Amino acid sequence: MYLLRRQAQKPSPEDDSAQKDAKVKELRAALGPLSGRNLKYCTDGCLRRYLEARSWNLDKAKKMVEETLRWRATYKPEETRWHEIAHEGETGKVSRANFHDRLGRTVLIMRPAMQNTNSPEGNIRHLVYLIENGILNLPEGQEQMSWLVDFSGFSLNTNVSVKTARDIIYILQNHYPERLAVAFLYNPPRIFQAFWKAVKYFLDPKTFQKVKFVYPKGKESVELMKTFFDVENLPSEFGGQATLKYDHEEFSRMMAEDDVKTAKFWGFDEKPCHIKNGLSGAEVVPGPLPIAPIAS
């Protein structure tokens, strides 16, 4: 009888969806009037992600959104342009993949061994830029992205510091909630374990569950990768059949085009530009660029 009563009380998917929609409206009302970039940022989908990250607790979600709005007002991630941080990307240590996962999500590729600077702030701003860019290129109806971390050639000397990793985790969890679908750490060496032990405590339980250690000789790992990616598109560094090639100059041109899309989305009065030279100190010169429709 008790079990029957419990089952009868369980809300239907329609009721649950309606309750969550109501929570989004409550959160919007609790935040008060929004304008400018804050209004642009706080879509219903955005507020839903913050509520999800705080287990649908209205007060906690409200506090989280307000902290993000203060951070964005100071950090201004939507104003960063590729030519300002292009030197951080010369080696391709972080880049947006030219393929998606099976659900059409943006994929960011990270290669710790390609670390090329000692600037914590530069590394963080470079990653934040690419997270914003990844969001910009999400298909309609998709909110999350996948991360692939290639540990080929990894050493502790080339890895970011624990403090920088902690700062990155803080930004990801608190200002980009529910943007990460899954992060695959592919074939990490034993020396990575010490670093992992130091940083995993900064991860909240939800984020921790999204981190997957995968190994090329593990049957379960191979099958897991196949469920998320088409092996024909997946680079060989991650057990696929494609070639992972980073062309900094070509990538810089692509990012310059996306900078135009970013400016259009946020309503900036900005002249189109393109990267003349994708190398260090990338020179920016005026020039026409195609403007593609931005993903909502």
Side-chain angles (χ1 to χ4, degrees):
M1 181 66 70
Y2 176 73
L3 288 176
L4 290 175
R5 191 182 307 119
R6 291 271 294 183
Q7 290 175 353
Q9 292 175 348
K10 186 177 181 180
S12 67
E14 292 79 9
D15 291 338
D16 187 52
S17 179
Q19 290 174 7
K20 289 181 177 180
D21 288 344
K23 277 283 190 179
V24 170
K25 291 181 179 178
E26 286 183 51
L27 177 55
R28 187 173 295 283
L31 290 170
L34 298 171
S35 61
R37 299 183 195 180
N38 289 349
L39 180 60
K40 188 80 171 177
Y41 179 77
C42 292
T43 63
D44 285 355
C46 171
L47 299 185
R48 184 179 290 269
R49 287 187 291 99
Y50 280 82
L51 283 162
E52 181 70 34
R54 289 297 177 261
S55 301
W56 295 88
N57 182 297
L58 183 64
D59 292 336
K60 291 181 179 180
K62 176 177 179 288
K63 180 181 179 182
M64 190 182 189
V65 173
E66 290 173 339
E67 288 176 350
T68 292
L69 294 181
R70 285 193 291 270
W71 174 77
R72 293 186 72 89
T74 302
Y75 201 83
K76 295 179 171 57
E78 71 278 9
E79 292 188 14
T80 302
R81 295 295 174 261
W82 177 251
H83 69 271
E84 298 171 344
I85 45 90
H87 62 284
E88 291 284 350
E90 287 180 355
T91 58
K93 62 187 177 187
V94 185
S95 62
R96 195 183 88 227
N98 61 356
F99 60 91
H100 296 82
D101 67 14
R102 290 191 183 275
L103 294 180
R105 295 181 291 219
T106 299
V107 177
L108 290 188
I109 294 178
M110 303 176 183
R111 299 189 285 177
M114 299 298 182
Q115 182 58 251
N116 61 325
T117 72
N118 295 316
S119 169
E121 174 57 30
N123 274 289
I124 293 172
R125 187 167 287 277
H126 177 240
L127 179 58
V128 167
Y129 172 91
L130 286 166
I131 291 174
E132 291 274 325
N133 181 266
I135 294 169
L136 178 81
N137 285 281
L138 285 172
E140 185 174 356
Q142 185 54 261
E143 295 267 321
Q144 297 182 311
M145 64 187 77
S146 298
W147 289 8
L148 289 172
V149 186
D150 171 24
F151 281 93
S152 300
F154 174 85
S155 73
L156 293 178
N157 292 331
T158 58
N159 198 42
V160 298
S161 68
V162 170
K163 181 182 183 304
T164 299
R166 181 195 65 189
D167 292 344
I168 289 171
I169 290 170
Y170 179 87
I171 290 172
L172 176 67
Q173 293 182 159
N174 291 279
H175 302 316
Y176 295 96
E178 297 302 311
R179 284 299 192 187
L180 178 65
V182 61
F184 291 102
L185 308 188
Y186 197 82
N187 203 25
R190 288 186 178 181
I191 57 172
F192 175 73
Q193 295 301 324
F195 180 80
W196 174 245
K197 287 180 180 179
V199 303
K200 68 179 182 180
Y201 297 105
F202 304 128
L203 297 173
D204 63 36
K206 284 190 174 183
T207 306
F208 184 84
Q209 292 298 319
K210 296 176 181 180
V211 178
K212 309 295 182 183
F213 283 73
V214 291
Y215 298 92
K217 295 183 180 179
K219 184 177 179 180
E220 290 185 4
S221 293
V222 172
E223 292 304 314
L224 182 64
M225 294 297 285
K226 287 181 179 179
T227 62
F228 278 86
F229 300 97
D230 184 338
V231 294
E232 292 182 358
N233 296 328
L234 194 65
S236 59
E237 285 82 355
F238 301 102
Q241 300 172 2
T243 301
L244 177 58
K245 181 182 178 183
Y246 177 76
D247 184 324
H248 186 56
E249 192 165 344
E250 177 59 32
F251 192 77
S252 294
R253 283 194 292 269
M254 185 168 65
M255 293 300 99
E257 292 178 8
D258 281 357
D259 283 349
V260 176
K261 291 162 60 178
T262 298
K264 182 183 179 184
F265 178 77
W266 291 103
F268 297 154
D269 182 16
E270 181 173 296
K271 293 181 180 180
C273 64
H274 71 270
I275 299 293
K276 183 179 180 181
N277 180 0
L279 302 179
S280 180
E283 180 185 355
V284 181
V285 297
L289 283 175
I291 299 179
I294 185 168
S296 60

